């Protein structure tokens, strides 16, 4: 059985969801009440691969909302309690979706293995980042040529290059061959280390990188206040919005700028679930975050292990392996819907 741990994108949206599910007390409750609330197993589903294999899964809402990010103890407790619920529910492999994997890593939750009477078994959890990185790379590979961008001659900026997903994307792009990688993050030392390990790439600030980048891969949670001057971007420019939340389509609208939601996959058939409706998926019955899909893939493949774990451990071999499984079991990376190169703006999906 696979599991997905998720959360709502905002407190307001969480209240709306609670009302729609009949939890009126929660819908009317304030943030303090939500901070104290335990995780909920809200939905059970069944999915069938094109290979004919059918597996069962469950969605656990951690009852975390991004407004709790600064309440460190609460954020920590939300993630650990949701993991405990997944394990107590007998789930073999569970993906840590949205902010939960980042909270796990940033707050070093490896130290919190014992929750009440339960000893968490890390092998039952995956961040899903290997599949997310592979999907983002597919999105670059497939969609750049549609805009007339020849990747072999293109400059590709990776914003969040030193992160778990970003560093894997850099390694994959370097193997694939692009004209130049532009490495963007805030802290200089990890950037230098990444550059050394790649043996390639130019370190730039975001403002320096954007005017040069034919393709921009965003794999960082960026501040809401971020402003992008679309007039300074090359035309055409492909932007893969792989961070969370996905809000670049409004920030980077401009002539020739094509924004595609990154790290999203579509399953080959409808899944009878409601969980993706609140995640603002264009086709919620089939689309989902690639990290969630990783737990489904690992269950299809009976690979019940923490396939993606820790930071900057993603290998190209693991990306190739999860990518093959993704195609075999009916997942497809989201693409730009159609490309009219004469049109000023095209927003994918
Ligand atoms: P990490 O924390 O490992 O990496 C984050 C990276 O972003 C680091 O390189 C960090 O470096 C950089 N960064 C953070 N803030 C800024 C900033 N303001 N400007 C420039 N760089 C910045 O995260 P992950 O790799 O695990 O995840 C990356 C993003 O992908 C997250 O937003 C996450 O929510 C999202 N994600 C999306 C998924 C999907 O859509 N399917 C699935 C999983 C994750 P530094 O701190 O030095 O700046």
């Amino acid at each position: 059985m696979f599991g997905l741990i998720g959360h709502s994108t905002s407190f307001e949206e969480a209240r709306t969801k609670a009302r729609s599910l009949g939890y009126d007390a929660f819908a009317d409750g304030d943030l303090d009440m939500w901070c104290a609330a335990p995780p909920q197993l809200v939905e059970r589903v069944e999915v069938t691969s094109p290979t004919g294999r059918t597996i069962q899964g469950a969605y656990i809402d951690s009852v975390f909302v991004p407004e709790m990010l600064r309440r460190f103890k609460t954020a920590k407790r939300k993630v650990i309690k949701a993991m405990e619920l997944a394990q107590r529910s007998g789930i073999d492999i569970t993906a840590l979706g949205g902010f939960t994997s980042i909270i796990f890593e940033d707050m070093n939750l490896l130290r919190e293995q014992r929750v009440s009477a339960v000893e968490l078994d890390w092998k039952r959890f995956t961040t899903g980042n290997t599949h997310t990185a592979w999907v983002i790379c597919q999105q670059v590979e497939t969609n750049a040529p549609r805009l007339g961008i020849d990747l072999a001659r293109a400059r590709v900026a990776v914003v969040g290059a030193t992160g778990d997903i970003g560093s894997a994307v850099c390694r994959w792009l370097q193997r694939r061959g692009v004209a130049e990688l532009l490495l963007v993050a805030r802290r200089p030392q990890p950037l230098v280390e990444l550059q050394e390990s790649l043996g390639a790439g130019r370190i730039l600030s975001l403002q320096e990188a954007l005017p040069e980048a034919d393709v921009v891969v965003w794999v960082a949670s960026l501040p809401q206040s971020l402003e992008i001057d679309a007039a300074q971007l090359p035309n055409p420019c492909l932007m893969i919005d792989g961070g969370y939340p996905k809000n670049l389509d409004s920030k980077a609208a401009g002539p020739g700028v094509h924004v595609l939601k990154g790290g999203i996959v579509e399953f080959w058939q409808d899944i009878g679930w409601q969980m993706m409706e609140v995640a603002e998926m264009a086709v919620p019955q089939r689309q989902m975050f690639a990290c969630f899909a990783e737990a489904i893939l690992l269950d299809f493949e009976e690979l019940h292990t923490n396939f993606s774990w820790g930071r900057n451990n993603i290998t190209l071999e693991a990306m190739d392996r999860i990518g093959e499984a993704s195609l075999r079991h009916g997942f497809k990376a989201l693409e730009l819907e159609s490309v009219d190169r004469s049109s000023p703006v095209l927003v994918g999906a």
Side-chain angles (χ1 to χ4, degrees):
M1 180 163 44
F2 68 88
L4 315 170
I5 293 178
H7 60 78
S8 301
T9 51
S10 71
F11 184 38
E12 215 32 62
E13 188 230 270
R15 288 170 125 177
T16 308
K17 182 167 74 173
R19 196 168 308 283
S20 75
L21 292 171
Y23 294 105
D24 284 349
F26 278 103
D28 297 331
D30 60 11
L31 192 62
D32 286 338
M33 179 194 179
W34 280 72
C35 284
Q40 304 286 326
L41 194 160
V42 288
E43 203 169 6
R44 289 186 184 274
V45 288
E46 197 170 84
V47 288
T48 302
S49 153
T51 64
R53 188 168 158 70
T54 297
I55 53 174
Q56 276 76 40
Y59 179 75
I60 290 174
D61 193 318
S62 54
V63 197
F64 166 85
V65 290
E67 286 83 347
M68 295 171 193
L69 266 177
R70 293 214 175 118
R71 302 186 183 203
F72 298 127
K73 277 191 182 158
T74 302
K76 226 159 123 167
R77 186 167 30 83
K78 292 283 177 188
V79 175
I80 283 291
K81 283 283 189 188
M83 292 171 83
E84 182 211 9
L85 177 58
Q87 189 164 315
R88 270 197 290 113
S89 306
I91 298 172
D92 300 298
I93 184 74
T94 298
L96 303 178
F99 281 120
T100 64
S101 64
I102 292 185
I103 293 169
F104 189 92
E105 295 295 343
D106 282 354
M107 300 191 184
N108 199 6
L109 296 192
L110 276 175
R111 289 180 310 194
E112 316 272 334
Q113 195 159 10
R114 180 159 286 281
V115 193
S116 311
V118 176
E119 173 101 357
L120 289 177
D121 176 4
W122 303 134
K123 289 214 161 42
R124 290 170 178 256
F125 300 94
T126 184
T127 63
N129 283 352
T130 310
H131 190 228
T132 301
W134 180 82
V135 167
I136 287 173
C137 292
Q138 295 307 301
Q139 291 180 301
V140 172
E141 176 94 39
T142 306
N143 294 283
R146 292 185 180 179
L147 300 178
I149 299 171
D150 174 4
L151 280 177
R153 297 167 52 170
R155 290 200 175 103
V156 182
V158 180
V159 183
T162 53
D164 194 37
I165 300 172
S167 59
V169 168
C170 288
R171 288 190 282 278
W172 193 93
L173 287 171
Q174 198 207 2
R175 180 182 70 176
R176 190 250 172 243
V178 296
E180 192 172 29
L181 276 172
L182 310 179
L183 311 176
V184 181
R186 292 166 304 182
R187 285 168 300 149
Q189 189 52 34
L191 278 166
V192 170
E193 285 164 14
L194 175 70
Q195 189 185 40
E196 278 171 7
S197 73
L198 291 170
R202 189 151 47 105
I203 297 169
L204 294 176
S205 70
L206 182 59
Q207 289 69 26
E208 289 166 334
L210 289 181
E212 291 199 38
D214 305 296
V215 178
V216 188
V217 176
W218 299 83
V219 273
S221 295
L222 293 162
Q224 291 293 339
S225 55
L226 173 81
E227 285 183 15
I228 297 169
D229 181 2
Q232 297 220 328
L233 300 170
N235 181 352
C237 178
L238 171 63
M239 293 211 167
I240 307 288
D241 188 2
Y244 183 85
K246 302 194 183 301
N247 50 12
L248 274 179
D249 44 359
S250 56
K251 287 184 190 294
V257 183
H258 301 253
V259 181
L260 176 61
K261 284 186 179 171
I264 305 285
V265 284
E266 188 161 311
F267 195 50
W268 70 298
Q269 62 177 10
D270 283 355
I271 303 172
W273 64 11
Q274 293 176 0
M275 60 185 86
M276 287 298 132
E277 273 161 32
V278 289
E280 295 175 3
M281 295 290 160
V283 188
Q285 288 303 316
R286 288 176 181 228
Q287 292 176 358
M288 68 190 84
F289 296 108
C291 55
F292 282 176
E294 182 170 303
I296 298 176
L297 289 169
L298 295 177
D299 202 25
F300 274 139
E301 297 278 304
E302 296 187 65
L303 245 176
H304 294 143
T305 186
N306 48 354
F307 193 77
S308 308
W309 204 239
R311 278 233 167 90
N312 296 21
N313 293 331
I314 299 174
T315 63
L316 292 173
E317 293 71 30
M319 287 174 78
D320 291 341
R321 179 165 191 194
I322 204 75
E324 283 160 20
S326 186
L327 298 172
R328 186 163 48 248
H329 295 295
F331 287 98
K332 189 172 177 228
L334 212 64
E335 296 175 3
L336 292 170
E337 277 171 358
S338 61
V339 178
D340 172 2
R341 288 192 216 159
S342 62
S343 71
V345 186
L346 188 145
V347 177

